[in-house]
């Protein structure tokens, strides 16, 4: 499976080979660098797969590094969640766990080195002024972007001594938040705005979840990241495409700080239809209560996918099928679901559940004891064996498996029709009982005792097979059905005045409170995979109790992706 991811990363592989051939590096080292300010989503899973796979293919190693230099948003609970999710996906960083916050002293020393080289200065401009001095990109009439040169800060030419003194006092807490910054001295006329004297340190009095109140200055990402990579001897720093314009700066800091020359290589971010893959937007969904939490089964987070019933194997399979390239693209969520169905079809144990029950009475069943029947646990895997289920006078079937007046091609129950009960008998519908409101409360049938196992007498053709449960042993359950979290394919494309929240799908969750499941499901646990015959793949939700098991529908059985692919090859 990992192999597949490997074959789609050839531009990275070529770069790595080049560096080995030129003698620049021998042992390949990569890193996955999450900021602990949210839970991982499937976009991160792509980055994880690329980072770990590239390292593994060259017999190298991959570090897990927490890029934790924003005290406002970071938290230990995120660190724990991230570690759990990377492990669950099947990747192992062993003991190579690092924190950028452990490098604060090292980074501070390198900042001093840059000041001493005349490559950094303390600035008194505030945020707003700094932006004005830097300038912005402006499109002309022909929509060609121009970046008029910025101008130097009046504080740019402070002496090295003054800068050293001021920077030490920034650290010592002598200045107010936001009143001073340390900036790299590069070029205020550079066509790439990123290179116009970027900020290296800011003053921020905010306790950090690991360093507490030890620091009141914090390094900025663009300064911290390359130097942390260098500290760990990262040979190839793989990241998403939005960092491409930052690469000259990445290289500048490495060159000027005179540290190990890590090499940054970018690849396209993963985007998937009907969802958003940015921590910022996901955090908003959680904070504003649009979902029940980071692990809501509708979320594209790893924890959400796990709770929904995704397998790590299906996610890795998916990541191997999408290409890793240099151009951004949108992947159809149906491909992810297709990979999931393929995996679940092989491994999920089958069982029966009735989601919208109506009673079915077998009028001619007059045995004193229920009849034991044998049901297959997984037709794709003989070793999964069989189980015993029971049949008696009163059963439950799906409400929509009976119609008093059937439409054409309806092969289920209607007065006079014959169907097969899965693993049971051939039955004939004799009618139904209704309440005063006219709702069907009971379907009536007779059965043919000699058709035990579901084989019709005299080779008769029976078109419909339905699932059912024996009422005496059926276990009440709650079932959650899910649809896309966002109705449109591209939720971030919104009309003026609207936000992505206006694109939320109001019916993304349906709760069925009166479902029934087979007795074997009363002790189902999260992390076990089931197929409820005819209704989809399900997994137990952690909110299940001894009295009421709760099941999440992972995905329905119908594979629209496979059908689309088939139609493509036909036409
Ligand atoms: P946000 O989602 O808010 O933009 P982020 O993606 O920058 O946050 P980080 O914790 O900084 O979150 O990401 C860690 C790594 O994961 C980075 O190297 C980043 O490039 C990569 N990454 C994040 N999102 C995706 C994505 N959708 N596809 C591929 N890689 C991603
Ligand atoms: Mg980031």
């Amino acid at each position: 499976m990992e192999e597949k991811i490997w074959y789609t990363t050839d531009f990275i592989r070529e770069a790595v080979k080049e560096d080995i051939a030129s003698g620049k590096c021998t042992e390949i080292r990569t890193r996955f660098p999450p900021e602990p300010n949210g839970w991982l989503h499937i976009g991160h899973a792509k980055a994880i797969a690329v980072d770990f796979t590239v390292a593994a293919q060259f017999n190298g190693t991959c570090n897990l590094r927490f890029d934790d230099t924003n005290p406002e948003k970071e938290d230990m609970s995120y660190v724990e969640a991230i570690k759990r999710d990377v492990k669950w996906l099947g990747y192992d960083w062993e003991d190579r766990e690092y924190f950028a916050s452990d490098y604060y002293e090292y980074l501070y020393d390198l900042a001093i080195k840059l000041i001493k080289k005349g490559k950094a200065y303390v600035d008194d401009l505030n945020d707003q002024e700094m932006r004005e001095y830097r300038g912005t990109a402006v499109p002309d009439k022909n929509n060609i972007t121009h970046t008029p040169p910025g101008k130097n800060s009046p504080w740019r030419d402070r002496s090295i001594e003054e800068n050293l003194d001021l920077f030490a006092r920034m650290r010592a807490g002598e200045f107010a938040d936001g009143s001073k910054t340390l900036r790299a001295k590069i070029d205020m006329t550079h066509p790439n705005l990123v290179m116009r004297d970027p900020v290296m340190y800011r003053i921020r009095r905010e306790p950090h979840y690991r360093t507490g109140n030890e620091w009141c200055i914090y390094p900025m990402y663009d300064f911290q990241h390359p130097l942390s990579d260098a500290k760990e001897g990262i040979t190839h720093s793989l990241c998403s495409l939005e960092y491409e314009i930052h690469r000259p700066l990445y290289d500048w800091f490495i060159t000027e700080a005179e540290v190990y020359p890590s090499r940054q290589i970018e690849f396209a971010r993963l985007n998937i239809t009907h969802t958003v893959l940015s921590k910022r937007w996901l955090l908003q969904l959680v904070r504003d209560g649009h979902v029940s939490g980071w692990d809501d089964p509708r979320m594209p987070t790893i924890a959400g996918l796990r709770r929904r019933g995704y397998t790590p194997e299906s996610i890795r399979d998916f990541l191997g099928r999408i290409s890793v390239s240099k151009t951004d693209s949108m992947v159809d969520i149906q491909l992810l679901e297709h990979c999931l169905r393929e995996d679940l079809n092989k491994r999920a144990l089958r069982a029966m559940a009735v989601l919208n029950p109506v009673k079915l009475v077998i009028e001619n069943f007059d045995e004193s004891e229920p009849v034991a029947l044998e049901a297959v646990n997984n037709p794709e895997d003989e070793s999964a064996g069989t189980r015993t289920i029971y049949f008696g006078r009163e059963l439950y079937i799906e409400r929509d498996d009976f119609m008093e007046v059937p439409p054409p091609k309806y092969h289920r129950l209607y007065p006079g029709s014959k169907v097969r009960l899965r693993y049971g008998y051939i039955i004939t519908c004799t009618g139904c009982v209704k309440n005063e409101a006219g709702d069907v409360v009971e379907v009536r049938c007779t059965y043919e005792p000699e058709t035990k196992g579901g084989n019709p007498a005299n080779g008769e053709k029976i078109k419909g097979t339905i699932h059912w449960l024996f009422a005496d042993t059926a276990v009440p359950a709650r079932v959650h059905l899910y649809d896309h979290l966002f109705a449109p394919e591209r939720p971030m494309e919104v009309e003026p005045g609207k936000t992505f929240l206006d694109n939320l799908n109001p019916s993304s969750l349906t709760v069925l409170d009166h479902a029934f499941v087979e007795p074997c499901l009363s002790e189902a646990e999260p992390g076990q995979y089931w197929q409820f015959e005819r209704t989809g793949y399900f997994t137990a939700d952690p909110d299940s109790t001894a009295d009421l098991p709760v099941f999440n529908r992972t995905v329905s059985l119908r594979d629209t992706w496979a059908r689309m692919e088939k139609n493509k090859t036909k036409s």
Side-chain angles (χ1 to χ4, degrees):
M1 210 174 274
E2 265 61 33
E3 287 293 307
K4 275 206 251 165
I5 295 169
W6 174 235
Y7 286 122
T8 63
T9 54
D10 38 348
F11 69 96
I12 301 176
R13 178 175 36 173
E14 287 313 313
V16 174
K17 277 191 190 159
E18 235 172 64
D19 290 342
I20 293 173
S22 73
K24 189 183 161 198
C25 51
T26 43
E27 251 176 66
I28 298 308
R29 248 179 251 157
T30 61
R31 86 290 168 261
F32 172 62
E35 184 182 354
N37 62 351
W39 293 32
L40 298 181
H41 52 64
I42 189 162
H44 293 117
K46 173 178 177 178
I48 294 168
V50 171
D51 293 332
F52 278 89
T53 308
V54 167
Q57 294 291 337
F58 287 100
N59 279 325
T61 50
C62 180
N63 294 353
L64 177 63
R65 177 173 73 238
F66 293 95
D67 262 350
D68 52 353
T69 51
N70 283 313
E72 299 93 336
K73 299 183 194 152
E74 296 161 358
D75 193 83
M76 203 60 194
S77 69
Y78 292 131
V79 170
E80 298 302 334
I82 289 169
K83 282 161 55 170
R84 193 190 50 216
D85 291 347
V86 176
K87 253 185 223 149
W88 180 79
L89 279 171
Y91 297 96
D92 188 1
W93 62 95
E94 293 166 5
D95 57 350
R96 293 178 296 275
E97 181 175 316
Y98 303 99
F99 292 84
S101 53
D102 284 338
Y103 304 155
Y104 283 169
E105 204 64 55
Y106 153 85
L107 293 167
Y108 181 80
D109 289 344
L110 288 179
I112 290 187
K113 181 172 183 179
L114 293 190
I115 296 175
K116 285 185 176 160
K117 288 176 75 176
K119 296 289 181 183
Y121 62 97
V122 173
D123 197 359
D124 293 6
L125 295 184
N126 64 29
D127 260 10
Q128 170 67 21
E129 292 164 329
M130 216 183 285
R131 239 173 286 134
E132 282 164 25
Y133 276 70
R134 189 184 54 215
T136 45
V138 278
D140 67 12
K141 321 197 267 295
N142 303 318
N143 224 8
I144 296 170
T145 313
H146 298 271
T147 44
K151 44 178 199 178
N152 289 349
S153 162
W155 314 102
R156 198 174 196 260
D157 293 318
R158 279 176 160 150
S159 70
I160 289 173
E161 289 66 37
E162 189 182 0
N163 281 322
L164 285 172
D165 172 61
L166 287 173
F167 187 50
R169 288 164 61 196
M170 276 170 66
R171 176 179 182 173
E174 283 189 33
F175 308 114
D177 284 17
S179 63
K180 286 191 177 7
T181 55
L182 183 73
R183 297 179 72 176
K185 199 172 191 174
I186 307 180
D187 180 0
M188 288 306 289
T189 65
H190 203 287
N192 182 349
L193 295 179
V194 167
M195 299 296 278
R196 294 188 180 174
D197 292 11
V199 174
M200 294 163 56
Y201 273 89
R202 60 190 179 126
I203 307 175
R204 187 84 180 92
R205 285 174 179 75
E206 174 86 31
H208 184 276
Y209 77 102
R210 288 186 81 244
T211 56
N213 292 316
E214 202 182 326
W215 292 83
C216 65
I217 55 170
Y218 289 96
M220 301 299 285
Y221 181 87
D222 278 339
F223 169 69
Q224 174 273 122
H225 195 79
L227 302 184
S228 299
D229 280 346
K231 174 141 180 80
E232 292 171 18
I234 301 301
T235 54
H236 298 87
S237 180
L238 313 174
C239 61
S240 39
L241 220 50
E242 72 268 24
Y243 294 104
E244 193 168 23
I245 52 162
H246 296 251
R247 194 186 335 132
L249 183 54
Y250 183 98
D251 294 339
W252 189 90
F253 278 125
I254 283 188
T255 307
E256 294 303 336
E258 300 165 51
V259 289
Y260 178 84
S262 303
R263 175 174 177 186
Q264 174 178 310
I265 302 173
E266 311 84 16
F267 59 87
R269 277 177 91 89
L270 173 63
N271 299 300
I272 298 185
T273 56
H274 298 288
T275 192
V276 294
L277 288 184
S278 174
K279 269 191 286 193
R280 210 168 121 204
W281 310 127
L282 296 176
L283 177 65
Q284 194 175 347
L285 294 175
V286 174
R287 286 243 173 101
D288 298 354
H290 298 290
V291 293
S292 64
W294 285 101
D295 67 344
D296 186 301
R298 290 166 294 177
M299 290 280 271
T301 51
I302 304 305
L305 295 170
R306 175 170 57 233
R307 187 165 178 182
R308 174 87 167 248
Y310 273 76
T311 63
E313 290 80 4
S314 63
I315 296 174
R316 296 213 305 268
D317 179 29
F318 166 75
L319 295 171
R321 293 194 203 200
I322 56 172
S323 66
V324 177
S325 74
K326 277 276 194 190
T327 22
D328 275 316
S329 66
M330 178 69 79
V331 179
D332 194 327
I333 193 162
Q334 290 176 22
L335 175 59
L336 176 61
E337 294 180 344
H338 170 72
C339 296
L340 177 64
R341 286 189 184 96
E342 270 200 4
D343 190 33
L344 291 177
N345 181 45
K346 280 180 270 159
R347 66 203 287 176
L349 292 179
R350 272 57 167 177
M352 291 199 279
V354 176
L355 307 189
N356 272 310
V358 66
K359 195 162 269 186
L360 177 115
V361 175
I362 309 286
E363 293 172 328
N364 61 337
F365 185 88
D366 47 20
E367 312 283 321
S368 54
E369 294 290 320
V371 180
L373 299 167
E374 195 180 35
V376 175
N377 286 334
N378 184 355
E380 302 285 320
D381 175 11
E382 216 174 298
S383 72
T386 60
R387 69 190 183 284
T388 302
I389 57 174
Y390 290 92
F391 174 85
R393 186 176 164 82
E394 294 202 349
L395 314 177
Y396 291 118
I397 59 165
E398 297 288 349
R399 195 160 272 282
D400 66 7
D401 280 340
F402 169 79
M403 288 186 99
E404 226 181 340
V405 185
K409 295 197 184 156
Y410 184 83
H411 299 304
R412 295 174 266 166
L413 291 171
Y414 52 90
S417 78
K418 270 192 178 191
V419 307
R420 176 189 290 106
L421 293 176
R422 183 81 161 141
Y423 305 120
Y425 296 91
I426 307 300
I427 57 172
T428 305
C429 183
T430 57
C432 66
V433 177
K434 293 190 205 170
N435 63 13
E436 279 173 10
D439 303 322
V440 175
V441 290
E442 220 175 84
V443 178
R444 313 280 301 190
C445 287
T446 57
Y447 83 123
E448 300 170 20
E450 68 282 9
T451 61
K452 188 173 177 183
N455 301 315
N458 333 313
E460 192 183 0
K461 261 227 164 339
I462 303 291
K463 279 206 169 148
T465 299
I466 64 171
H467 61 278
W468 55 281
L469 290 169
F470 179 40
D472 289 18
T473 57
V475 175
R478 173 179 296 155
V479 165
H480 295 157
L481 303 182
Y482 298 103
D483 197 353
H484 302 313
L485 188 50
F486 292 93
E489 279 195 359
R490 294 165 187 260
M492 295 313 288
E493 289 179 5
V494 289
E495 292 161 29
K498 301 222 162 172
T499 75
F500 77 111
L501 296 174
D502 293 301
N503 283 332
L504 279 166
N505 175 5
S507 37
S508 58
L509 168 64
T510 306
V511 180
L512 302 175
D513 270 319
H514 304 287
F516 288 104
V517 297
E518 264 187 54
C520 67
L521 288 166
S522 62
E523 279 162 25
E525 284 179 15
Q528 295 173 342
Y529 308 104
W530 298 92
Q531 185 191 107
F532 292 175
E533 301 218 14
R534 294 179 67 226
T535 54
Y537 293 101
F538 289 79
T539 195
D541 189 84
D543 280 349
S544 296
T545 62
D547 295 333
L548 189 69
V550 180
F551 290 93
N552 296 328
R553 181 157 75 186
T554 312
V555 68
S556 65
L557 295 176
R558 197 179 318 123
D559 191 337
T560 27
W561 178 265
R563 213 179 44 208
M564 271 164 21
E565 289 297 291
K566 216 165 141 193
N567 289 346
K568 257 193 234 162
T569 50
K570 260 194 229 155
S571 57

